[in-house]
Amino acid sequence: MSIPTTMKAVVVEQTGGPEVLQFQTSYPVPTPKNGELLVSNGISGVNYIDTYFRTGLYASPKPEVLGREGAGIVKAIGPNVSGFQVGDRVAWLTTGGYAEYTAVPADRTVHIPDGVSDETCMSAFLSGLTVLSFVKETYAVQKGDWVLVHAAAGGAGFLMTQILKSIGAKVIGTAGGPEKCALVKGLGADVVIDYRSEEGKKWVKKVKEATDGRGVDVVYDSVGKDTWEGSLEAVKRKGTIVWFGNASGPVPPIPLPKLSPKCVKIARPTLFGYIETREEFEFYTNELFQLLSSGELKTKVHKVYPLEEVAQAHIDLEGRKTTGKLLLKP
C-alpha cells in the first residue's frame, strides 16, 4: 500500500494564541516504531486540552502536532504489534491528530465496531471515556444523587448529562444562552440555568433552591476560574467537587481550611489515570461503543473543520460559541 513521504499537518513551534497553529503541506509522514501503527486519519477530534498545550498552560515539547484522538485506517504496522492488520478501521488516543497520518501506540488503539461511523466515534471518544470514568470512579454517581454539571452543552457536558440521567441522577446543568439551555433540557436535565441571564448570575442560589437548601452531592466543573467559588458554595456537606477543565482559566490555589466547614472532598482527575492498563482501556471503550451502537448515547457535532481551518476551531471553542464536539477533516 503506497504511503506518501509528506503530508498536511498543523504544527505548533511556540506557545501562544490560535495564530501559532501553522498549517503545513509538506510535513514528514512518521514511520511506525516498535509497538506502533501508522494510521491514515479520516477524522480527528478537537478538545479543550489542545488549547492548554497550545498556550503552555500544560507543558509539552515544541515543535508539536496537537490533537489527542483520531479515527482512520491502519496503513502500516511497526515491529512487535499483534491484533491489528493493514486496512483495519481504528480509533486511537495519543497525540498528533492534526495531521493526515499519525504513528500511534497499538496499546492506545482499538477497533471501531461495524455500525459506528468514524464521525460518531470521534464525537464521543475522548470525551465519552472521560465522562464514563469520572462518573464511575472519581465519584461513583448513584441513582437519586443531585449532580451539578457546568458547561452542560459542551463536548463533555452533552455526553455527561445523558449518562447521568441513565444512572438515575438528578441533573442541574449550566449553559450560556437560551439555545444551549434548550439543548440541555432536551437531554433530560432536571434543572437548567442560563448563567448569562440576569437570574442565572445567581446560579448558586438556584442550585440551593432546587435541592431544598442542601446542595448537590457532586459538582463536575470543567470551567474552572469563573465557577470554582460558586461550586464550593453549591456542594453539600460532605460533598465532592470534580474539577477537570479550565475553560475560563485555571482554578487558583485553594487554602485547605476552605474545605473544612462542609468537609468537602476535591478531585482533579485525568482520563489517562483511569485507562493506564490495556484492560482498563478496553473496559471503557467497550462500554462506550455499546452505548453508541445501541443508540442510548446520542452525539452532537458542532462542526467539521478542514484541517487548514483549525485556528478558527480553537477560536470558536475558546469563545464558548460551540455545542457538542468539534472535529477536523485532515
Side-chain angles (χ1 to χ4, degrees):
M1 189 173 293
S2 176
I3 299 171
T5 57
T6 61
M7 64 177 178
K8 298 174 185 175
V10 175
V11 184
V12 174
E13 295 184 345
Q14 61 185 19
T15 59
E19 71 278 356
V20 303
L21 296 162
Q22 302 176 23
F23 176 69
Q24 299 184 9
T25 58
S26 57
Y27 195 78
V29 172
T31 300
K33 300 175 183 176
N34 188 58
E36 290 185 339
L37 307 165
L38 181 67
V39 176
S40 172
N41 297 312
I43 203 94
S44 301
V46 179
N47 295 284
Y48 230 104
I49 194 172
D50 302 344
T51 71
Y52 304 156
F53 287 112
R54 190 204 74 221
T55 61
L57 179 62
Y58 291 177
S60 57
K62 302 290 186 288
E64 176 182 20
V65 176
L66 299 176
R68 311 293 285 183
E69 60 179 338
I73 303 296
V74 175
K75 294 293 185 178
I77 299 175
N80 299 312
V81 172
S82 60
F84 295 94
Q85 297 180 351
V86 171
D88 284 351
R89 195 165 64 96
V90 297
W92 56 263
L93 290 176
T94 180
T95 191
Y98 292 8
E100 291 183 285
Y101 292 86
T102 309
V104 301
D107 65 0
R108 281 289 170 266
T109 306
V110 292
H111 295 92
I112 302 173
D114 294 340
V116 176
S117 69
D118 289 1
E119 186 171 299
T120 297
C121 176
M122 277 300 98
S123 64
F125 196 53
L126 188 147
S127 299
L129 297 176
T130 298
V131 166
L132 284 170
S133 59
F134 287 6
V135 304
K136 289 179 177 290
E137 294 199 56
T138 310
Y139 174 89
V141 178
Q142 304 297 311
K143 182 178 180 179
D145 281 351
W146 275 104
V147 183
L148 173 59
V149 180
H150 286 300
F158 183 87
L159 302 175
M160 182 175 280
T161 300
Q162 295 177 73
I163 289 172
L164 289 170
K165 290 308 300 179
S166 73
I167 294 171
K170 291 174 283 190
V171 177
I172 302 172
T174 67
E179 184 180 347
K180 288 186 177 183
C181 288
L183 176 67
V184 175
K185 191 68 177 176
L187 297 174
D190 299 86
V191 179
V192 183
I193 301 170
D194 181 354
Y195 65 83
R196 289 182 180 170
S197 70
E198 200 58 38
E199 186 181 27
K201 291 176 182 178
K202 300 177 182 178
W203 60 266
V204 173
K205 181 182 177 183
K206 299 285 289 182
V207 170
K208 290 291 187 70
E209 288 174 353
T211 58
D212 295 324
R214 175 173 166 268
V216 294
D217 296 277
V218 60
V219 181
Y220 287 99
D221 190 337
S222 61
V223 176
K225 181 171 70 71
D226 289 351
T227 51
W228 75 273
E229 289 185 282
S231 291
L232 280 170
E233 289 183 60
V235 75
K236 73 170 189 178
R237 181 178 64 89
K238 298 193 287 187
T240 300
I241 300 175
V242 181
W243 276 302
F244 67 102
N246 315 282
S248 64
V251 175
I254 299 173
L256 288 179
K258 202 171 182 67
L259 310 180
S260 300
K262 292 196 293 187
C263 300
V264 173
K265 295 183 285 293
I266 287 180
R268 181 55 176 94
T270 177
L271 166 63
F272 294 94
Y274 292 122
I275 58 169
E276 188 170 311
T277 69
R278 181 68 187 185
E279 291 74 19
E280 291 169 331
F281 186 38
E282 290 184 351
F283 173 81
Y284 281 115
T285 54
N286 287 341
E287 182 166 357
L288 178 63
F289 286 144
Q290 183 176 0
L291 290 170
L292 293 173
S293 297
S294 68
E296 185 178 346
L297 183 63
K298 306 297 183 185
T299 63
K300 179 175 175 57
V301 175
H302 173 76
K303 184 178 177 180
V304 180
Y305 297 77
L307 187 60
E308 56 267 33
E309 294 181 13
V310 67
Q312 187 61 52
H314 277 225
I315 291 168
D316 292 347
L317 188 62
E318 291 178 298
R320 314 278 279 276
K321 298 176 181 178
T322 65
T323 57
K325 186 76 173 190
L326 283 65
L327 299 176
L328 283 181
K329 186 74 175 174

